[in-house]
Amino acid sequence: MVRTALWLLAGLLLGGLIHLVVVLTLPSLAEETVWDRIGTLEAENRIVVMPPVEAGGENPFGLDPLIIYGICQVDLSTGPAYMNGVLPDAFWSVAVYDRDGTVIYSTTNRDGIGTTLDLGIFNAAQTRLLAQQEIDINEGLLIVESPSDPLFITVRLAPPYTALRTRYAEEMANLTCGTRQ
Amino acid sequence: MRFVFHLLLMVAVALAVGFGLSWYLLTDNRFFGVVQSGPWVAWSDAGSPSPNPYTRAHLARAGVLQLGQAEGLQFTATTDSEGRPLTRDCSYRIEGQTPVATFWTLAALDAAGRNIAAPGTDIALRSSTIVRTGEGAIVVHVGTTLAPGNWLELTGNGPFSLVLTLYDTVASSGFGSLDTMPAIVLEAC
């Protein structure tokens, strides 16, 4: 009886070890990550407005059906990234994700930004260069320092009424995004 | 023979505990990395630059676009306030206050994450377009049977979940305001 209990205890300890290994290795072993899914959108250096979520349809990104999403994929190894443009006078937000799908930066237009989106993303070396050259920064430019080069940027725009969705999506499509050599 | 039995028993326990615990904690985690208020559960640091290992593994498994911390917080409920699983055989009433936010949206999903709003109806509800009580509280009916007032009309049958997304909310910054999450009350089956 005691021997069986010891074997059970060993099984519990081994199970705990397996659990820790699963939790810690899952991010690197996941087969279809959000980065893989973003890769199918052909959003390199341009903004892609996501199609609206429909009732009964697949929603692999877990999108909110009342929000308009714009996505742009950039690689800082080719230069600092930017996203510029004017968005409608409604709630919008912007988030910068790394390859793992972790949000490294996010903000909303409620933080006093208004309707103009002017975002610059730099890696550590580019940020250092920016500081050394003492380049004048435009007022209102959001500067993000990224720890990694491959990134994607997501803009969320919330039309107050469904009837405005098409017009707001067209305005989001006018945003410019990419990297500067 | 006894040694082989004990070895098989240990391996079975280890596999069941190791993978079972991982599946549970990364799917319906009520222990690590989540905040809970009544039936509503959220991965509170999903939008942070350095999520904990459980949240990181959950995000890798889900593969969805989570909200950044400054953008908002998403809550999911799979049961009513009494702990009974939500099913389209019953109708429910969501009532009470919501945490301070610029706005929120409410949608119903099936187990595969597909929106289950009835065809021709609102695919989701938005806080700015619903009728409130005199005290500012919300009363939203959810189900497949006709209901008065604010109604999120569903279609089909089987279990479902409710997703309440708070945008630009104070709920991202701490637990205190989560006391104001609304209740999910079973009305009829």
Side-chain angles (χ1 to χ4, degrees), chain A residues 69-131:
Chain A
Y69 291 81
I71 298 204
C72 173
Q73 206 169 7
V74 293
D75 187 347
L76 300 186
S77 64
T78 61
Y82 65 91
M83 182 179 270
N84 310 114
V86 178
L87 287 163
D89 188 16
F91 175 88
W92 55 262
S93 64
V94 60
V96 181
Y97 299 75
D98 67 11
R99 196 185 178 96
D100 296 333
T102 302
V103 182
I104 62 168
Y105 173 82
S106 63
T107 189
T108 76
N109 65 331
R110 303 293 166 186
D111 291 340
I113 302 169
T115 58
T116 302
L117 173 60
D118 196 5
L119 179 70
I121 310 172
F122 305 83
N123 62 24
Q126 292 157 355
T127 306
R128 208 161 37 244
L129 204 61
L130 193 70

Side-chain angles (χ1 to χ4, degrees), chain A residues 5-20:
Chain A
L6 286 173
W7 279 96
L8 281 173
L9 184 65
L12 286 173
L13 291 174
L14 189 58
L17 196 64
I18 290 172
H19 167 66
L20 288 177

Side-chain angles (χ1 to χ4, degrees), chain B residues 9-92:
Chain B
L9 182 68
M10 184 191 77
V11 170
V13 168
L15 291 176
V17 169
F19 290 105
L21 193 63
S22 303
W23 178 84
Y24 174 73
L25 289 178
L26 300 179
T27 305
D28 191 25
N29 183 359
R30 305 290 165 109
F31 300 109
F32 304 111
V34 302
V35 290
Q36 184 172 6
S37 176
W40 301 101
V41 177
W43 291 81
S44 58
D45 66 346
S48 88
S50 51
N52 73 60
Y54 284 94
T55 304
R56 195 180 288 273
H58 166 74
L59 294 176
R61 187 164 172 263
V64 299
L65 278 178
Q66 77 279 3
L67 286 163
Q69 242 170 5
E71 297 179 293
L73 193 58
Q74 188 171 76
F75 288 86
T76 302
T78 55
T79 68
D80 65 16
S81 291
E82 300 294 322
R84 293 172 291 238
L86 299 176
T87 169
R88 279 172 272 179
D89 297 330
C90 303
S91 54
Y92 300 89

Side-chain angles (χ1 to χ4, degrees), chain A residues 19-98:
Chain A
H19 167 66
L20 288 177
V21 170
V22 167
V23 168
L24 294 174
T25 58
L26 194 61
S28 56
L29 297 178
E31 285 184 355
E32 193 178 3
T33 63
V34 68
W35 181 263
D36 297 329
R37 290 173 177 168
I38 294 289
T40 64
L41 299 176
E42 298 181 349
E44 290 93 354
N45 296 319
R46 70 188 188 103
I47 190 94
V48 170
V49 179
M50 304 279 278
V53 175
E54 293 180 357
E58 298 293 328
N59 187 7
F61 289 103
L63 307 183
D64 186 328
L66 299 184
I67 303 292
I68 303 168
Y69 291 81
I71 298 204
C72 173
Q73 206 169 7
V74 293
D75 187 347
L76 300 186
S77 64
T78 61
Y82 65 91
M83 182 179 270
N84 310 114
V86 178
L87 287 163
D89 188 16
F91 175 88
W92 55 262
S93 64
V94 60
V96 181
Y97 299 75
D98 67 11

